[in-house]
Each structure stands twice: as C-alpha cells, then as structure tokens.
Amino acid sequence: MLVFWFLLIALVVVVAAVTLAVVGGGSEAVLPEAEPDRVADALPESRPVVRADIDALRLPVAPRGYRMAEVDDVLERLAAELTERDARIAELTAAAAQNRAQGPGGPVVDLHKEEQQ
C-alpha cells in the first residue's frame, strides 16, 4: 500500500511539472519563439542563375517536408531562367544557320547576351 501512495504522489508531481512547463509560468515564456525556416540564400536577382547557385541553395524543411510555396517560387524562377536561355539559344542557332546560308562576307552575329536593364 505504501508503494501505491508513493507512485501516486510521484505521478501528481510529474503531471504538475509538465503542466507548468507547457503553460510557461505566466508572462515569461519558458522557451523563446522559434523563427520559422526560410530560404537563407535566395537565387540572385541581378544576374543569371549558375550551377553554383543551385548547389548552394538549401530549402527549409517543414514538419511534413518542404514548404510548398518556397519550393514553387524557386522552381518558377528556374523555369523562367531556362525558358530565357532556350529562347536565346534558338535565336543564336537561327542566326548562325542564316549566316551559313548567306556564305562568307554576310552579317556578323553578336553571340554575347544583351545587358538586362
């Protein structure tokens, strides 16, 4: 019978301690609020994305995986970059084919990317 009362008192003490830890002791919180994870190194806006940018990119983890909105933003940016590069490649390929068709002495094609305003 003595063991029963000892276990009952120990159980009440543990429940009280857990309750105080959860409630937080009034105006002062036991644990500070945690900042949510966000993309620390976003893709650069001032220049095209390069392989090193993708390798350095770390997406924050949420309780059930990745944050869908942030992953969607990164994928949209990468899709836009790839679309721009594909269009530029198609433009340069067409210009090069046109130059070959005109033969030597035709117009010269500038293969450098135009500066973005």
Side-chain angles (χ1 to χ4, degrees):
M1 191 67 163
L2 183 62
V3 173
F4 172 74
W5 287 109
F6 176 75
L7 290 176
L8 183 64
I9 292 172
L11 179 66
V12 169
V13 168
V14 169
V15 169
V18 169
T19 303
L20 284 175
V22 169
V23 171
S27 63
E28 292 184 29
V30 175
L31 297 174
E33 289 294 321
E35 291 293 322
D37 284 344
R38 296 287 179 235
V39 176
D41 296 323
L43 297 175
E45 295 291 333
S46 60
R47 61 177 172 75
V49 176
V50 295
R51 173 66 188 251
D53 296 328
I54 303 302
D55 290 340
L57 182 67
R58 295 292 173 255
L59 298 172
V61 179
R64 294 186 64 194
Y66 289 96
R67 297 181 190 279
M68 291 172 42
E70 292 183 10
V71 173
D72 289 345
D73 290 344
V74 169
L75 291 177
E76 285 176 21
R77 172 71 192 280
L78 290 174
E81 289 277 341
L82 290 174
T83 301
E84 179 183 334
R85 288 181 186 175
D86 289 345
R88 182 69 176 153
I89 288 170
E91 175 187 330
L92 294 174
T93 303
Q98 185 180 18
N99 279 349
R100 280 193 296 269
Q102 290 180 357
V108 177
V109 176
D110 181 18
L111 298 178
H112 300 298
K113 186 176 181 181
E114 296 102 20
E115 290 294 320
Q116 295 179 358
Q117 301 288 329

